Amino acid sequence: MLYNLARPFIFALEAEKAHGLTIAGLKALPLGPAPKSDPVLASTVAGLDFPNPIGMAPGFDKNGEVPDALIRMGFGYAEVGTLTPRAQPGNPKPRIFRLPKDKAVINRLGFNNEGQEKATPRLKRMRKRMGKGVLGINIGANKDSDDRIADYVIGVENMAPLADYLTVNISSPNTPGLRALQDKGALEELLAAVMQARGDYKVPVFLKVAPDLEPADIDDIVDVTMKQKIDALIVSNTTITRPNLSSANQDETGGLSGAPLKDLALQRLKDFRKASGGKIPLIGVGGIANAEDAYERIRAGASLIQLYTAMIYEGPTMARAMSCGLAKRLKQDGFASVSDAVGADDK
């Protein structure tokens, strides 16, 4: 309720400025224990123990400044980044546009971040402060890189010692040519290099894909990820499509996130579940705004879920409320654990 009162004042600020103030506010929060999640929400995915399946998607904490605060807000895990080998400013401003009538956002940020070197000492501190929360680090390539696969290799070498898992992000529409790495040949070369770079590190590697894919693309991605023994697929990122929008900023260039992405993201999750036969863990992202959305994504095959845009509209207590609602639904339907509900609609 307090957030509903404050939201008009927050939305009166330019979106990127409001986000910066939010990060500053979270950094100022006093340290304290994370809330305990209901045991029914605990699960093990890719060898990692998650206290609950609700994660903060990358993009919120680009530089790894507040993953500890996110865990204290009730998230089971936080994925920071996207971090590139070198710092880069991203695309020209303005580059974030709220679509309040649609409960959506369009962004064309372009992997703006301070770089992996600057993030490293900060993330070392954060690991000690996160308790049982899981830290994911999302890595990407610099926009002006001559060798983007080499950038991902550098990202693995720099970030693997700090992460509970790494995400190879080739799904952003805001770095020209990046999504071409989803093509089968390029993807095989990329993931082979990434897995070789991982070497003796035991850190799981996840792959994040776009929602704007054709059926043949999905089959190819599944084939390559299973061949390279990738630990999970994150489905999906923002979309370049514009489904039934009503807000003034609907024609802005960039990736669309939030409520209008829900149906597309859910369908892509089902597509990857079918193509993989349930043999690779899936993480559902896109248009998840409440416990019912989370439960639907889990029943469709997601072992974990992530959110970001919905919190802009629903407020900072969203993760805790979603956890409570999800636990209630699982128990009502007779599931002993969230893992038992994964892919239940297939059974």
Side-chain angles (χ1 to χ4, degrees):
M1 190 164 103
L2 288 174
Y3 185 75
N4 289 338
L5 293 173
R7 189 168 59 194
F9 299 98
I10 296 171
F11 277 33
L13 298 172
E14 189 272 329
E16 198 160 351
K17 183 176 181 180
H19 181 263
L21 291 173
T22 300
I23 295 292
L26 289 175
K27 289 169 71 173
L29 285 177
L31 292 175
K36 291 184 178 180
S37 297
D38 192 305
V40 76
L41 297 175
S43 65
T44 300
V45 180
L48 301 174
D49 295 327
F50 292 81
N52 73 62
I54 301 164
M56 172 56 81
F60 178 83
D61 186 8
K62 283 184 170 291
N63 293 302
E65 298 175 274
V66 292
D68 57 331
L70 293 169
I71 298 303
R72 295 198 301 276
M73 289 167 62
F75 288 95
Y77 66 109
E79 186 173 318
V80 303
T82 299
L83 287 166
T84 53
R86 292 174 285 106
Q88 63 182 23
N91 294 322
K93 298 179 181 180
R95 52 193 182 181
I96 305 178
F97 305 90
R98 302 185 191 97
L99 282 68
K101 292 181 180 178
D102 304 291
K103 290 194 173 182
V105 167
I106 292 173
N107 90 80
R108 50 174 180 262
L109 287 162
F111 287 173
N112 58 305
N113 73 104
E114 296 174 352
Q116 291 164 6
E117 182 178 359
K118 189 167 183 179
T120 293
R122 183 186 302 132
L123 289 170
K124 287 180 178 178
R125 295 193 303 271
M126 290 299 163
R127 281 196 60 88
K128 298 177 181 178
R129 294 164 55 171
M130 287 185 64
K132 294 183 179 179
V134 173
L135 174 64
I137 302 179
N138 186 297
I139 58 173
N142 282 108
K143 182 178 180 179
D144 61 355
S145 175
D146 293 328
D147 187 344
R148 286 182 171 167
I149 290 177
D151 276 17
Y152 285 98
V153 169
I154 292 168
V156 172
E157 293 170 346
N158 287 342
M159 298 290 102
L162 305 173
D164 290 313
Y165 71 85
L166 290 174
T167 294
V168 175
N169 185 2
I170 54 173
S171 59
S172 172
N174 299 317
T175 297
L178 187 74
R179 287 187 172 185
L181 289 172
Q182 295 175 135
D183 296 341
K184 189 171 185 178
L187 186 60
E188 285 180 335
E189 185 180 357
L190 169 65
L191 295 185
V194 163
M195 297 308 282
Q196 182 176 3
R198 185 180 69 166
D200 294 332
Y201 293 112
K202 301 301 183 184
V203 59
V205 174
F206 298 173
L207 177 69
K208 183 164 185 170
V209 297
D212 309 312
L213 296 168
E214 298 297 327
D217 299 327
I218 295 168
D219 291 337
D220 287 345
I221 289 169
V222 168
D223 287 345
V224 175
T225 54
M226 293 183 71
K227 177 182 177 182
Q228 295 296 333
K229 298 182 180 179
I230 299 301
D231 295 278
L233 280 168
I234 301 179
V235 187
S236 55
N237 205 325
T238 58
T239 179
I240 57 175
T241 64
R242 295 292 183 266
N244 301 320
L245 300 177
S246 304
S247 301
N249 290 322
Q250 62 181 284
D251 294 325
E252 291 290 345
T253 301
L256 172 71
S257 62
L261 181 56
K262 176 182 173 180
D263 291 345
L264 177 60
L266 175 60
Q267 184 58 53
R268 285 296 166 269
L269 181 76
K270 292 177 179 178
D271 293 340
F272 274 97
R273 173 79 175 180
K274 182 178 180 181
S276 66
K279 293 179 181 178
I280 183 168
L282 303 176
I283 300 170
V285 193
I288 298 172
N290 52 49
E292 289 297 321
D293 293 340
Y295 187 50
E296 180 181 38
R297 214 63 64 98
I298 289 165
R299 290 186 64 102
S303 296
L304 303 166
I305 63 103
Q306 292 181 348
L307 58 89
Y308 174 6
T309 300
M311 196 175 76
I312 296 171
Y313 291 96
E314 304 301 330
T317 62
M318 184 179 179
R320 293 192 193 196
M322 187 178 288
S323 289
C324 291
L326 181 57
K328 183 178 179 181
R329 285 304 312 269
L330 289 166
K331 292 174 182 178
Q332 283 177 344
D333 288 353
F335 292 110
S337 73
V338 66
S339 299
D340 292 341
V342 174
D345 289 346
D346 293 342
K347 301 169 185 175

